[in-house]
Amino acid sequence: MAPKKRSRGNARSNKQNLSEVEDGEGGSGKKSESQNSRSSSLEKPAYTNWLMKSEPESRVENGVDVKFGIEDLKACPNQTSCWDGVRNYQARNFMRDMKVGQQAFFYHSNCKEPGIAGIIKIVKEAYVDHTQFDKKDVHYDPSSKPENPKWSMVDVQFERMTRRFIPLTELKKYHLKHKGSGGALSNTALFTRARLSVQPLTAEEFDFVLSLEDTDPL
DNA sequence: GCCAACGTTGGC
DNA sequence: GCCAACGTTGGC
């Protein structure tokens, strides 16, 4: 288990909707088309890496400071924390797909300099996010019942800082460039699904971003 | 089951 | 602190 609380996620009032259903992909026949450039085989693409957003600067939400930067994770016992507070179905579903040992980028959002600060790894797969039942918690969800919890969380552990901070502005430049050339970041969720707080990265995207560690900032 | 109104995210 | 993008809600 992880100590700490706090974390980001898309706070949200909520109700059931698009993917109360387990998988969130093609699922239930509701969404059918639209986002299926994927295979006809209904299989989810096997994502191996992730990007998780959190706010490194103080901001009070419902009387509670939601600040949780990578330094805060580092300061946790065992440098491990649960990633609670995610209240968005797509983000939740991605967390449910996470496997122990997989790596994710720790992304700093809603701050002076947004971007990737470090690498974390999944150390515990999805389980019930207890904060949804806690009236005192910022992300309390009165519509979720213990008999049928809506929200999940995973535990993550600090792995290392990236050798340099990789700013969103730089990633965006590569994204624009790659859109023309079909490069690694041409479809990156950070730009195509900007508001998702937990995003999947293909191995190619992850590796490309990692390679930037040893290049000069664009 | 459509869609307008509303609320949140998060870059700038 | 503004506001565009977009997920969610709820009336019909």
Side-chain angles (χ1 to χ4, degrees):
Chain A
M1 337 283 101
K4 261 292 87 186
K5 306 181 85 166
R6 221 51 20 219
S7 264
R8 239 248 90 66
N10 300 344
R12 186 136 295 185
S13 23
N14 25 235
K15 241 328 181 108
Q16 49 127 308
N17 193 4
L18 87 132
S19 10
E20 179 49 285
V21 218
E22 183 59 12
D23 74 303
E25 263 348 274
S28 60
K30 248 185 196 173
K31 286 226 84 165
S32 48
E33 295 313 299
S34 55
Q35 55 194 56
N36 289 349
S37 45
R38 321 211 198 287
S39 64
S40 46
S41 65
L42 305 189
E43 294 165 32
K44 317 181 195 187
Y47 290 116
T48 53
N49 293 98
W50 315 93
L51 179 147
M52 302 173 81
K53 299 181 182 177
S54 190
E55 303 186 30
E57 294 173 7
S58 288
R59 186 175 63 82
V60 176
E61 190 177 319
N62 299 335
V64 181
D65 190 351
V66 296
K67 169 184 187 294
F68 190 75
I70 196 162
E71 296 300 334
D72 297 299
L73 173 61
K74 246 167 122 170
C76 289
N78 212 21
Q79 301 191 316
T80 299
S81 173
C82 55
W83 202 269
D84 63 300
V86 171
R87 298 292 183 268
N88 168 281
Y89 289 110
Q90 286 188 62
R92 179 204 69 179
N93 290 340
F94 283 132
M95 286 203 296
R96 289 181 176 180
D97 286 340
M98 293 176 175
K99 299 289 184 280
V100 165
Q102 291 181 335
Q103 293 172 304
F105 286 124
F106 193 112
Y107 179 91
H108 281 169
S109 69
N110 207 11
C111 56
K112 210 64 65 64
E113 203 180 11
I116 291 169
I119 299 170
I120 55 182
K121 68 179 177 215
I122 309 307
V123 293
K124 179 170 176 168
E125 289 169 19
Y127 61 109
V128 176
D129 177 345
H130 56 89
T131 66
Q132 67 197 296
F133 308 122
D134 180 358
K135 291 192 173 64
K136 301 284 174 10
D137 196 275
V138 197
H139 303 298
Y140 170 59
D141 180 359
S143 73
S144 182
K145 301 298 167 211
E147 314 84 71
N148 188 20
K150 288 186 176 174
W151 309 110
S152 303
M153 62 186 182
V154 294
D155 285 356
V156 301
Q157 181 173 39
F158 173 80
E159 185 166 300
R160 66 174 176 87
M161 298 299 285
T162 40
R163 286 190 279 284
R164 69 176 175 87
F165 179 80
I166 303 173
L168 174 65
T169 52
E170 181 175 353
L171 293 169
K172 185 177 281 177
K173 287 177 194 164
Y174 280 109
H175 168 63
L176 293 175
K177 182 166 143 191
H178 290 183
K179 269 206 300 190
S181 64
L185 302 192
S186 54
N187 261 317
T188 302
L190 196 51
F191 306 103
T192 60
R193 320 247 50 187
R195 296 175 39 197
L196 250 197
S197 68
V198 175
Q199 321 187 337
L201 268 78
T202 60
E204 185 189 19
E205 289 169 329
F206 188 80
D207 291 343
F208 177 83
V209 174
L210 267 190
S211 77
L212 297 180
E213 282 190 301
D214 302 311
T215 65
D216 290 326
L218 247 202

